[in-house]
Amino acid sequence: MIDKTKITNNLSTKKNKLNNKLSKLNDRNKQISLIRLTIFLIVFLLFLILYVTNYKNTAFIILSVGAVIFIYFMLLHSKIEKAIKKVKILVEITKENLARLEIDWKNIPQLENEFLRDPTFLEQDLNITEKNGLLRLIFNGSSLGGIKVLRDWLDGDIKNFNKITFNEIVNRQHIVSELKKLNRFRERLLLTSRFSFKEKIFQVRILSWLEKTDNKKGLKAYTIFLSALTLLNYIIILLLFFDVISSLYLQIVLLYFIFYYIGAKYIKDTSYSAEFIFNEIKKFVTIFEFIEDYNFAKNKYLTKLTEPFKISESSPKKIFNKISFSIELLNLRANPIVWFLLMSLIPIDYLLSIQIDNFKKNVKNNFPVWLNKWYELEAYCALANFAYLNPDYTFPNFIEKKNCIEAIELGHPLICSKYKVINSFEMNNQKEIILITGSNMSGKSTFLRTVGINILLAYSGSVVNAANIKLSKFQLYSCIKVSDSIVDGISYFYSEVKRLKYILNKIKKSESTSLVLIDEIYKGTNNVERVVGSKALIKNLAKNNVFSIISTHDLELVNIAEEINKLKNYHFKEIIKNNEMSFDYKIAEGPCPTTNALKIMKLEGLPT
C-alpha cells in the first residue's frame, strides 16, 4: 500500500512539473504577444507604403493576408492563456493537497463564514466548523451546496441521524472507495469547476430564473401571424418580379414591422434570457457535460449516482445543444444592420423567444436534479481525496447485532502525523461507561474529541483515523466546549447545566442507543457539589440506554465503579524527569495514580 511519504513525494514532483510547464507557457505567451505586435506593425507599414505608392491592389492583398495571420496568432494566444489558467489551477490544487496532507493551515483555503453559520453543539465540540476544523481540512470543492451536503453527512444531529441506515452509509463508502481510485477524474472535475467559476458558488441564480413565470400566452399564435405576414412579403416580391402588381409591397412591409413592434411584450426578455443562459447556465453545463461524458462503466455505484446526467433524452449536452445555436445567433444583435436584415426575413426575435421558453421548460425539472447530484459528487470527491491523502486510514465496519466500539490505533485527524499519538480502546454491553481521570494537559479532552470526530467521519461514509474500527449505530451527544455568555447573562456553570439537561432530555426521547462525551464534568462549580452532582449524573446515565465517556479531575469519582458494574476506569498521566514534565498521551486502565496541578504551578514559579 502506498504511504504518506510516497504521496508527498508524488505531489511535490507533480507541483515542480506543473511549475515548469507554467514557466514554459508564460514564455510562449510572451513570444506570441511579441509576434502579434510585430505582424501588426509590419502589415500596417507595408499597407501604408504600398497604398501611398499607388500599389493599392497589392496593399489590400497584404492587408488581407496579414489579417488572417494576425487572427491565427490571436486565437493561438487565447488558447495559450486558457492553458496557463488551467495549469495555475492545477498548481493550486496540488499545493492544497500537500497542505492538507501535512495539515498546514496557512496553505489550506479558508471557508467563508457563509459555510459555517449556526454550528451545532457537536460541530463546536468536535471542531467540525471551526476555523481550523474538519470541514476546512476535507472540503476542496467549489460550491456552497457541496459543503452543505458534506456538513449534513458529518452532522450527528438527531434529525438527520434517525433517517440514515447502515446500508446508506455503506453505499457512501462504496462511492468514496471508487472515487479514491479515480484521481484524474476528481482532479479534472475540480479543474472544470474552478475554471468555470472564479469564486466559490454561493448563490445559484438560475433556480430563481427557472421558477419565474413569464406571461407569454399567445406567443406562438402571434409568431404564426408574423410568419404569415413574412410569407405574404415573399409572395408579393414574386408578384412584383413578374410585374403582376406594382405598389402593394411597401404597405405590407410597413404593416409587418408595425405588428413586429406591437408584440414587443412577448420578446422584451429574450435578449436578457439568452445572455443569462450563455453566461450562467453554460458554466454549469460545462461541468455537467464533463460528468456526462465520463465513463464510469467499471464503477457501478458511481454509475448509479450519475445516472441523471446520462439519460439520453434529457442529458445536459442534448438539451443545451438545442439552444446553443440560437444563443450564438442572438449575439448578432450587436450588429444592428445584420439584425434588421434578419428581422426583415423572419420574425427572428419571436422564434428565438419560443425556443428559449421551450429550453426553460426542458431544463426546469432537470437542472435542480443535476445541480444536487453535482453537490453530492463534490462532497464524495472531498471524502475520496481525504481517503487518498491518508492511506493509513480505514473504512469502519458496522455492527448491527450488538452495541460496541472497538478501535485499534485510533488517532485525531486534525493532528499532524509527527505529533499524533494513537490509542486503542473498546466499549461493549459489559463496559458501557468509561471514566477517565488524569493530569492537566495529559490528553483527556483530545481523546474524547478523537472518539467523537472519528464516529462522525464513520457515519458520513468516510475513512477514519484508525487501523481498524468496529462500530454500532449511536446517537452522539457531547458536552466539551461549553462557554459562558455575557450577553445572555449565563455563567459557565449554568451553561454546562443547560447542556447536560438538553442531553438527558434527548436521551429519554431517543429510539437508538446514545453515546455521550462529557469533558471535565461540572468543572464550573466547587469541589464538594461537583462530586455529588457528578455521581448522580453518572448513575442516571447508567440507568439509560447510553454509552458514556466522561473525563474528570475528581479522583473521588473513581470509587463509583464499585456501585456501577458497567463502569470502567481509565487514565492519562504525566512523566516528571529532571524537573521537566512530559506526557505520553496514552490511555491506560485504572484510576490515575498521579496529579500535577501543584507541580505545574511550581515549575512556572508560582507559590505552592
Side-chain angles (χ1 to χ4, degrees):
M1 181 181 71
I2 191 170
D3 61 12
K4 282 192 174 183
T5 305
K6 182 72 172 175
I7 292 172
T8 302
N9 291 338
N10 288 345
L11 288 172
S12 297
T13 302
K14 183 178 180 179
K15 184 184 76 171
N16 292 334
K17 285 181 179 179
L18 286 169
N19 279 325
N20 288 336
K21 186 176 181 179
L22 185 61
S23 178
K24 288 177 182 177
L25 283 169
N26 281 323
D27 290 342
R28 181 70 174 147
N29 197 36
K30 289 175 184 176
Q31 289 173 1
I32 297 298
S33 295
L34 187 61
I35 289 169
R36 281 177 61 193
L37 180 61
T38 304
I39 290 169
F40 176 80
L41 291 174
I42 290 172
V43 170
F44 178 74
L45 288 172
L46 281 174
F47 175 79
L48 200 62
I49 293 167
L50 290 168
Y51 191 86
V52 169
T53 55
N54 218 20
Y55 291 96
K56 292 182 180 179
N57 291 338
T58 308
F60 281 107
I61 290 170
I62 292 291
L63 184 64
S64 302
V65 173
V68 170
I69 296 170
F70 184 83
I71 289 169
Y72 167 77
F73 279 100
M74 185 177 70
L75 293 172
L76 185 59
H77 186 244
S78 177
K79 187 178 178 180
I80 291 172
E81 286 193 326
K82 190 177 179 180
I84 288 171
K85 185 180 176 183
K86 285 185 176 181
V87 174
K88 280 182 177 179
I89 293 170
L90 289 172
V91 170
E92 186 181 86
I93 292 169
T94 307
K95 283 181 178 178
E96 287 172 15
N97 278 336
L98 278 167
R100 288 187 165 89
L101 190 64
E102 298 163 3
I103 312 183
D104 173 16
W105 293 110
K106 290 181 181 178
N107 293 303
I108 299 174
Q110 289 195 26
L111 298 178
E112 290 80 356
N113 290 332
E114 184 75 24
F115 292 139
L116 310 173
R117 287 180 180 175
D118 305 318
T120 63
F121 292 142
L122 278 173
E123 287 177 330
Q124 290 174 328
D125 287 351
L126 302 179
N127 298 103
I128 306 300
T129 54
E130 300 296 296
K131 181 183 177 183
N132 295 342
L134 188 65
L135 271 176
R136 181 181 170 193
L137 178 66
I138 295 177
F139 189 74
N140 60 350
S142 302
S143 69
L144 176 60
I147 201 166
K148 278 181 175 177
V149 171
L150 183 57
R151 187 175 172 182
D152 281 346
W153 291 350
L154 288 168
D155 183 13
D157 187 80
I158 196 166
K159 293 176 184 176
N160 298 317
F161 182 81
N162 286 334
K163 295 176 184 176
I164 195 168
T165 65
F166 276 147
N167 286 337
E168 289 177 73
I169 298 172
V170 171
N171 185 67
R172 287 182 194 166
Q173 286 183 348
H174 286 306
I175 294 172
V176 172
S177 183
E178 288 181 348
L179 278 168
K180 181 184 174 182
K181 300 169 189 173
L182 301 178
N183 284 344
R184 185 171 175 79
F185 169 77
R186 295 198 320 272
E187 185 178 74
R188 291 293 154 182
L189 179 62
L190 194 53
L191 171 63
T192 305
S193 303
R194 293 192 184 183
F195 189 81
S196 298
F197 297 94
K198 292 180 181 178
E199 298 176 352
K200 281 189 169 62
I201 306 157
F202 289 96
Q203 185 180 7
V204 182
R205 295 190 298 146
I206 298 165
L207 295 177
S208 54
W209 178 76
L210 291 172
E211 290 299 323
K212 184 182 175 184
T213 305
D214 298 318
N215 184 18
K216 292 190 177 181
K217 190 177 180 181
L219 170 61
K220 287 185 179 179
Y222 202 81
T223 305
I224 291 169
F225 168 68
L226 286 175
S227 299
L229 283 178
T230 307
L231 184 61
L232 186 59
N233 281 334
Y234 295 150
I235 293 169
I236 291 171
I237 289 170
L238 284 172
L239 293 174
L240 283 167
F241 184 77
F242 291 106
D243 293 325
V244 176
I245 58 173
S246 58
S247 61
L248 194 60
Y249 176 64
L250 289 176
Q251 290 90 322
I252 296 297
V253 169
L254 184 61
L255 190 66
Y256 169 73
F257 279 108
I258 288 171
F259 279 111
Y260 199 103
Y261 287 104
I262 286 175
K265 64 179 181 179
Y266 293 120
I267 59 171
K268 62 180 180 180
D269 294 328
T270 302
S271 182
Y272 166 77
S273 295
E275 188 178 341
F276 187 83
I277 293 167
F278 187 80
N279 292 330
E280 293 295 321
I281 293 184
K282 193 173 181 181
K283 293 176 184 177
F284 286 97
V285 171
T286 303
I287 299 167
F288 299 161
E289 285 183 358
F290 172 74
I291 299 168
E292 177 188 346
D293 290 339
Y294 198 89
N295 183 10
F296 295 106
K298 295 180 181 179
N299 302 280
K300 66 176 184 178
Y301 293 95
L302 278 168
T303 299
K304 188 173 182 182
L305 176 69
T306 56
E307 271 178 359
F309 296 101
K310 299 175 184 288
I311 300 169
S312 57
E313 304 82 33
S314 58
S315 69
K317 186 177 288 185
K318 186 167 185 177
I319 289 178
F320 195 74
N321 281 347
K322 288 179 180 178
I323 195 70
S324 58
F325 175 74
S326 301
I327 301 302
E328 296 294 340
L329 195 60
L330 269 164
N331 289 334
L332 294 175
R333 272 178 169 270
N335 190 320
I337 296 170
V338 173
W339 197 252
F340 181 79
L341 289 172
L342 281 172
M343 285 169 56
S344 304
L345 296 171
I346 53 172
I348 182 72
D349 288 291
Y350 294 85
L351 292 170
L352 291 176
S353 187
I354 288 172
Q355 265 209 296
I356 288 170
D357 279 1
N358 290 336
F359 171 79
K360 197 172 184 179
K361 288 171 187 175
N362 289 332
V363 169
K364 187 174 183 179
N365 294 326
N366 290 303
F367 192 86
V369 176
W370 299 332
L371 196 64
N372 288 329
K373 285 299 176 184
W374 174 50
Y375 290 159
E376 279 188 60
L377 200 52
E378 277 213 313
Y380 279 122
C381 284
L383 291 178
N385 193 57
F386 179 65
Y388 169 74
L389 294 175
N390 297 282
D392 51 328
Y393 291 8
T394 57
F395 286 107
N397 299 305
F398 295 110
I399 310 296
E400 296 191 61
K401 294 181 179 179
K402 62 175 182 177
N403 293 321
C404 71
I405 304 174
E406 297 175 14
I408 298 174
E409 297 181 5
L410 190 70
H412 200 299
L414 295 181
I415 299 175
C416 188
S417 298
K418 61 182 176 182
Y419 302 118
K420 189 182 300 186
V421 176
I422 53 177
N423 281 290
S424 300
F425 87 108
E426 64 175 309
M427 298 180 76
N428 51 46
N429 290 332
Q430 284 73 49
K431 189 165 58 179
E432 292 183 351
I433 300 177
I434 288 179
L435 184 67
I436 304 175
T437 48
S439 310
N440 294 289
M441 305 185 298
S442 60
K444 301 186 301 298
S445 301
T446 300
F447 180 75
L448 262 64
R449 289 191 174 100
T450 299
V451 173
I453 201 169
N454 277 293
I455 286 174
L456 290 185
L457 276 169
Y459 294 157
S460 75
S462 172
V463 292
V464 297
N465 188 179
N468 188 27
I469 186 168
K470 294 178 182 178
L471 185 65
S472 306
K473 189 177 181 182
F474 295 102
Q475 173 60 57
L476 190 61
Y477 299 102
S478 63
C479 183
I480 298 175
K481 193 183 287 186
V482 182
S483 59
D484 57 3
S485 173
I486 296 173
V487 175
D488 297 326
I490 296 174
S491 69
Y492 180 92
F493 175 68
Y494 186 55
S495 181
E496 185 180 13
V497 167
K498 286 184 70 177
R499 176 83 68 89
L500 291 171
K501 181 183 177 182
Y502 164 82
I503 291 172
L504 290 176
N505 288 338
K506 287 289 186 180
I507 287 169
K508 290 174 185 176
K509 296 175 184 177
S510 180
E511 298 173 3
S512 56
T513 304
S514 299
L515 173 62
V516 180
L517 308 174
I518 303 175
D519 186 35
E520 303 291 357
I521 187 170
Y522 289 136
K523 59 187 168 188
T525 191
N526 65 79
N527 181 57
V528 175
E529 291 178 298
R530 180 169 65 242
V531 171
V532 173
S534 298
K535 284 183 177 180
L537 181 65
I538 293 170
K539 288 177 181 178
N540 184 288
L541 290 171
K543 293 175 185 176
N544 288 287
N545 186 27
V546 178
F547 277 40
S548 307
I549 305 177
I550 302 166
S551 74
T552 181
H553 283 294
D554 296 311
L555 295 176
E556 298 95 323
L557 290 178
V558 299
N559 297 323
I560 202 172
E562 297 171 7
E563 303 174 48
I564 303 172
N565 293 330
K566 293 181 180 180
L567 185 142
K568 182 81 173 178
N569 279 302
Y570 283 83
H571 72 273
F572 288 90
K573 65 180 181 181
E574 79 286 351
I575 300 163
I576 302 289
K577 190 175 181 180
N578 299 328
N579 263 347
E580 291 186 359
M581 186 182 301
S582 61
F583 305 92
D584 62 7
Y585 304 111
K586 300 295 286 186
I587 194 167
E589 292 191 9
C592 184
T594 63
T595 59
N596 72 355
L598 291 174
K599 293 172 187 172
I600 291 173
M601 295 177 201
K602 189 174 181 180
L603 287 171
E604 292 300 317
L606 293 175
T608 56

